[in-house]
C-alpha cells in the first residue's frame, strides 16, 4: 500500500476560504429551514454565490437531522439548474453549494 505524505483527497475537499456566506440552520425545523434555503436560491436575490449550509450534527439518539431532507431539496434545485455544485461539508454537518449566475439560470429555464 502506498504511503502519502498528505492525503490526496484533501485537494477535493471544500476549503473554508471558498465560502462567501453561511446559512445557519442550527435549531431550525424542516419547514422554516427549506424556506430559508429557497429564498437564497431565488436568482433575483443578488445573493453571494458560494454558501455553507450548516445544521445540527447527529445527537446519537436516533433523532432525524436536516441532512437528508435538505440534501434532497438541494438535489432537486440542482436538477432544475439553480445550483452549479453541491457537496457535503467535510465535517458532515452541512453542505457546500455554489449557485449558478442569474443569467445562466434564466437561459436554462427557457
Amino acid at each position: 500500500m502506498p504511503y502519502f505524505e498528505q492525503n490526496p483527497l484533501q485537494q477535493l475537499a471544500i476549503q473554508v476560504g471558498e465560502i462567501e456566506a453561511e446559512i445557519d440552520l442550527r435549531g431550525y425545523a424542516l419547514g422554516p429551514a427549506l424556506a430559508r434555503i429557497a429564498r437564497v436560491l431565488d436568482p433575483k436575490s443578488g445573493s453571494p454565490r458560494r454558501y455553507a449550509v450548516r445544521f445540527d450534527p447527529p445527537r446519537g439518539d436516533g433523532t432525524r437531522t436536516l441532512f437528508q431532507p435538505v440534501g434532497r431539496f438541494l438535489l432537486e434545485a440542482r436538477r432544475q439548474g439553480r445550483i452549479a455544485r453541491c457537496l457535503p461539508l467535510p465535517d458532515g454537518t452541512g453542505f457546500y453549494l455554489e449557485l449558478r449566475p442569474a443569467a445562466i439560470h434564466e437561459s436554462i429555464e427557457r
Side-chain angles (χ1 to χ4, degrees):
M1 177 167 226
Y3 174 76
F4 295 105
E5 287 282 327
Q6 192 176 40
N7 185 350
L9 296 178
Q10 263 317 98
Q11 295 173 6
L12 299 175
I14 301 305
Q15 303 303 315
V16 177
E18 297 176 18
I19 297 170
E20 296 174 25
E22 184 172 293
I23 303 170
D24 189 359
L25 302 178
R26 290 175 273 212
Y28 274 67
L30 179 59
L34 296 181
R36 187 158 180 215
I37 293 170
R39 282 193 302 273
V40 170
L41 294 179
D42 180 11
K44 297 173 187 151
S45 68
S47 303
R49 290 195 51 221
R50 295 178 189 96
Y51 287 91
V53 179
R54 298 201 182 269
F55 41 80
D56 296 314
R59 291 185 283 204
D61 61 358
T63 305
R64 187 175 178 183
T65 68
L66 292 176
F67 184 84
Q68 199 170 38
V70 167
R72 287 183 184 137
F73 183 81
L74 294 174
L75 181 61
E76 183 57 34
R78 186 169 183 218
R79 287 180 183 143
Q80 295 171 0
R82 299 176 349 189
I83 296 176
R85 290 175 60 197
C86 181
L87 302 165
L89 291 174
D91 63 2
T93 61
F95 291 97
Y96 166 81
L97 62 108
E98 187 174 318
L99 305 181
R100 291 194 186 277
I104 293 174
H105 176 70
E106 290 169 7
S107 67
I108 291 172
E109 285 184 339
R110 290 182 192 163

